[in-house]
Amino acid sequence: MSRSTIGVIGGGQLARMMYAPAIKLGIDLRLLAEGPDVGAARVFKHVTVGDYTDEQTVRDFASECDIITFDHEHVPTSILRHLESDGKLVRPGPDALQYAQDKLLMRERLTTSLDAPAPVWQACADADELKAFGERIGFPIIAKASRGGYDGHGVWKIETSDQASIPFAEALSRSAGEKVEIIGEEFVDFARELSVIVVRSPSGQAVCYPVSETIQKAGVCRETITPAPGLSDEQATRITKLGLDIADELQITGVLAVELMQRRDGSVVVNELAMRPHNTGHWTIDGAHTSQFENHLRAVLDLPLGDPRARDPWCVMVNVLGGSHEDLPSELLHCFARDPKLRVELYGKQVRPGRKVGHVNCYGDDLDEVRGRAEHAARYLMGEIGMKGER
Ligand code: ADP
């Protein structure tokens, strides 16, 4: 049976970046988008505009597709379970996806079934419990909403016991009155953050990309360096195994990104999981033999997966955030004239301050040189520096 019509739910840049490999693979990729002007809706041929939390909308969309996959993790699992009981292939399925939707479920599952390294954590029902947790392990602590967080929204650093009510009040107001569970976590004074991207197919084949160092500012990923500088082979192997074990344990189909924090003694703890192509894997588009987007589609179709190895010794990705330039394509002249090996991906989104509107990739033999080129291009596109590098 032909299984080549894939429906993607969510119209952001991740769906958009699936489109080029879908063309190459001859797949009919269709989109359920939040609005007609979102980044992916501007490039897909078949676009349905509708609300992904509305069961009938999702069902109608899915009825025209053989397989459903995602640009984000927010489709209610109840809807996905109904699709599965209608016989639709949902990849990754709701049983896996719930661990990317809910950080408390993720912490419980990874602790009980894999003994995966985690910060000290505890589910806290109210401010008193969070306060007691902080008093037990010592302030500062981190509080996290179990659901609905993104780019650092839903994560609070709690310095003293008086601040323990803040996450409950803010999470409640953000969730429109629906109760959100709060997790107390040890504040990890990490040396750096890392990410490992694994892709797994339903048959159980899995590949793992080299581990990246990720640099976040204000909760937003700004840069990745691959491979993570200074990571020993032994640490890289341990992290790779952890990623593969999680993908297998949760029976994930497609991309799994495991975000990690590396302590000053070199050990790592899992921060969170994402089950879709991930910002920290954008370097793979130009820097790896097979991109995370192509491998995600191959996994969704249960095709053999492509080579995840890097093409060059170093690859640096820098995100472009909205700045003073509104018309980004017209700013490419300087970037490309200066650096013929520079790769740029623009997301077709309206430029707003601080919003991710694109990324650049540079690769080569010398990390300082590669990083310098990537940062120059991104800062230029953000309007932070002029043509000669001046502020
Ligand atoms: P989001 O879902 O919004 O991306 P994360 O759980 O990834 O939230 O947390 C966002 C950032 O907060 C992380 O990238 C990390 O920098 C910081 N952070 C999260 N948990 C901890 C922790 N336990 N200790 C120290 N910093 C943390």
Side-chain angles (χ1 to χ4, degrees):
M1 176 182 145
S2 159
R3 289 222 162 119
S4 56
T5 304
I6 301 179
V8 185
I9 302 183
Q13 62 262 24
L14 303 176
R16 180 177 165 114
M17 286 184 267
M18 286 179 207
Y19 206 64
I23 292 169
K24 288 203 280 182
L25 300 176
I27 300 165
D28 182 1
L29 201 65
R30 301 183 175 213
L31 187 71
L32 177 60
E34 302 80 343
D37 294 325
V38 293
R42 290 166 183 247
V43 299
F44 276 59
K45 182 159 180 262
H46 294 281
V47 180
T48 303
V49 173
D51 175 4
Y52 60 80
T53 63
D54 178 63
E55 174 142 4
Q56 199 52 50
T57 303
V58 176
R59 273 205 153 131
D60 290 347
F61 172 69
S63 69
E64 295 169 4
C65 307
D66 302 310
I67 313 177
I68 292 296
T69 192
F70 309 95
D71 155 280
H72 60 68
E73 290 114 348
H74 309 308
V75 183
T77 42
S78 56
I79 296 181
L80 300 177
R81 287 187 206 289
H82 290 154
L83 290 187
E84 280 191 329
S85 49
D86 293 347
K88 196 61 65 185
L89 295 174
V90 179
R91 294 178 165 169
D95 289 344
L97 214 51
Q98 58 180 338
Y99 298 104
Q101 292 179 339
D102 189 316
K103 292 176 181 173
L104 179 55
L105 275 187
M106 179 276 288
R107 285 266 178 254
E108 285 166 351
R109 176 75 189 260
L110 293 194
T111 305
T112 51
S113 52
L114 280 177
D115 200 18
V120 179
W121 63 274
Q122 185 189 300
C124 296
D126 54 31
D128 284 342
E129 276 190 30
L130 187 64
K131 198 169 135 191
F133 173 73
E135 281 162 0
R136 178 165 69 80
I137 69 157
F139 287 98
I141 55 168
I142 292 286
K144 284 184 186 179
S146 61
R147 302 179 74 90
Y150 67 97
D151 286 351
H153 303 281
V155 176
W156 298 266
K157 188 175 179 189
I158 306 292
E159 306 276 358
T160 60
S161 54
D162 324 339
Q163 296 172 355
S165 57
I166 295 172
F168 293 90
E170 287 189 13
L172 199 65
S173 70
R174 216 176 278 152
S175 69
E178 206 177 295
K179 190 170 177 337
V180 180
E181 284 169 300
I182 297 290
I183 313 162
E185 275 186 12
E186 160 202 0
F187 172 72
V188 180
D189 181 25
F190 54 77
R192 61 175 173 175
E193 294 184 76
L194 301 171
S195 157
V196 66
I197 306 262
V198 172
V199 192
R200 183 181 176 281
S201 66
S203 322
Q205 189 200 356
V207 294
C208 186
Y209 289 93
V211 178
S212 301
E213 175 173 343
T214 75
I215 297 156
Q216 331 269 332
K217 285 187 199 146
V220 177
C221 176
R222 299 295 298 273
E223 184 167 345
T224 68
I225 304 172
T226 312
L231 196 70
S232 68
D233 288 350
E234 193 201 339
Q235 283 171 319
T237 305
R238 210 176 306 130
I239 292 169
T240 302
K241 181 169 183 316
L242 176 65
L244 291 167
D245 286 348
I246 294 172
D248 187 54
E249 173 69 23
L250 304 182
Q251 295 283 293
I252 289 160
T253 296
V255 171
L256 163 72
V258 184
E259 295 180 24
L260 303 142
M261 294 178 276
Q262 186 173 35
R263 295 184 192 270
R264 293 182 191 277
D265 67 3
S267 62
V268 296
V269 289
V270 173
N271 176 31
E272 70 166 344
L273 308 181
M275 292 175 201
R276 48 169 168 79
H278 194 248
N279 196 164
T280 63
H282 292 349
W283 70 272
T284 64
I285 298 174
D286 306 299
H289 287 279
T290 318
S291 79
Q292 61 164 346
F293 296 98
E294 174 160 345
N295 262 338
H296 183 74
L297 294 176
R298 289 199 199 190
V300 163
L301 290 163
D302 207 7
L303 290 171
L305 301 174
D307 185 349
R309 283 175 301 173
R311 290 175 187 271
D312 275 88
W314 297 104
C315 188
V316 173
M317 186 268 343
V318 183
N319 272 124
V320 178
L321 305 187
S324 52
H325 298 309
E326 297 230 328
D327 177 12
L328 288 171
S330 69
E331 301 302 329
L332 293 173
L333 175 68
H334 161 73
C335 297
F336 290 151
R338 185 179 192 269
D339 184 355
K341 282 178 76 183
L342 175 75
R343 308 292 297 178
V344 177
E345 181 107 24
L346 298 174
Y347 302 159
K349 287 156 96 172
Q350 218 194 338
V351 174
R352 273 197 239 123
R355 186 182 204 199
K356 281 180 205 159
V357 289
H359 70 257
V360 302
N361 279 334
C362 282
Y363 43 87
D365 297 328
D366 181 281
L367 176 57
D368 289 342
E369 185 256 352
V370 168
R371 199 171 174 191
R373 284 165 43 218
E375 288 180 358
H376 173 91
R379 294 187 66 202
Y380 178 80
L381 289 169
M382 288 191 267
E384 286 183 6
I385 51 173
M387 291 223 275
K388 297 199 174 99
E390 75 283 8
R391 278 165 194 275

